[in-house]
Amino acid sequence: MAVSGVIVIVLILVLAFVGGNTAAKTVSVAEAAELSDPGQKVQVSGNVVADSFSTDDNVLTFSIYDPEGDPATHLAVRYGGAASSTFGNDVTAICTGKVGDDGVLEATELVTKCPSKYESATDALTVGQLLGYGESIHGKVVKVSGTVGAGTLGPAGQDVRFRLTDDEALSVTLPVAYDGALSDEVTDGSAVVLTGALDADGSFIATDVALEA
């Protein structure tokens, strides 16, 4: 009889734990923005609103919208974890957490997805060729190819997203500024093709980053 009592108590504890560990409810951006139960754990998918993100004291804040719904409806998100290098403007962000009384989703999980994109390096300049033009090429839109320098790849919002290395002269590198979304296939050593312009400070302001086809 004592053993049966112990089993019953264990079962009650297990059921209580399982019942309390509820899974996140999947909702749309619009539904999350009007959530009546702010304590409910939800999972929301949306695209990052362009230039809506900033980082303060290692806390990332940004807004998302539903690309298949009303683009004017935004949901503010706050995330204290490390942002992936794929994070950027218009990337798909899958956020899990709870919406606070202030209407902000306090995310405990953040997953970003960006479709793969490829570009031919035909007619693209090497880093050395680009820099060889000097001031005459400042502000002119060009294509440049190279590889992502090891250990230089970072999240959006930084002055330098990564450094592009010349394939023929590894000591020649180019700081690249880019706040768009990067494919998760873009990693250290990836061959990439950039579109953008070199500014007077020597940074390449990229408008597009693609894997070399």
Side-chain angles (χ1 to χ4, degrees):
M1 181 67 68
V3 173
S4 299
V6 171
I7 294 174
V8 171
I9 292 172
V10 170
L11 286 174
I12 291 173
L13 290 174
V14 170
L15 290 172
F17 174 78
V18 172
N21 190 23
T22 55
K25 179 182 179 182
T26 300
V27 298
S28 67
V29 171
E31 289 171 335
E34 299 177 357
L35 202 62
S36 58
D37 181 8
Q40 183 179 11
K41 188 176 182 181
V42 296
Q43 184 176 87
V44 191
S45 296
N47 287 22
V48 176
V49 177
D51 301 324
S52 67
F53 53 88
S54 63
T55 302
D56 186 22
D57 291 334
N58 295 321
V59 176
L60 173 67
T61 57
F62 60 97
S63 296
I64 58 175
Y65 71 96
D66 187 348
E68 298 180 358
D70 182 2
T73 300
H74 296 174
L75 175 67
V77 181
R78 193 157 38 226
Y79 179 63
S84 166
S85 61
T86 58
F87 183 87
N89 288 338
D90 214 40
V91 70
T92 299
I94 304 172
C95 313
T96 304
K98 297 180 179 180
V99 178
D101 294 333
D102 56 359
V104 178
L105 175 63
E106 297 287 351
T108 54
E109 299 175 39
L110 172 63
V111 177
T112 53
K113 290 185 177 181
C114 181
S116 298
K117 185 177 181 182
Y118 293 86
E119 178 74 26
S120 171
T122 303
D123 299 327
L125 300 172
T126 66
V127 175
Q129 289 172 334
L130 175 70
L131 297 177
Y133 281 103
E135 295 181 0
S136 65
I137 205 168
H138 287 176
K140 295 182 179 179
V141 177
V142 296
K143 282 170 52 174
V144 59
S145 63
T147 57
V148 176
T152 67
L153 186 61
Q158 298 182 353
D159 291 338
V160 178
R161 189 70 177 275
F162 60 88
R163 296 190 73 89
L164 188 69
T165 301
D166 192 305
D167 293 332
E168 299 176 0
L170 300 181
S171 62
V172 180
T173 64
L174 179 69
V176 177
Y178 182 64
D179 277 339
L182 291 176
S183 165
D184 54 12
E185 294 179 58
V186 176
T187 58
D188 287 358
S190 292
V192 292
V193 180
L194 316 182
T195 302
L198 190 68
D199 69 6
D201 294 328
S203 293
F204 190 80
I205 312 303
T207 55
D208 186 74
V209 177
L211 291 161
E212 184 177 333

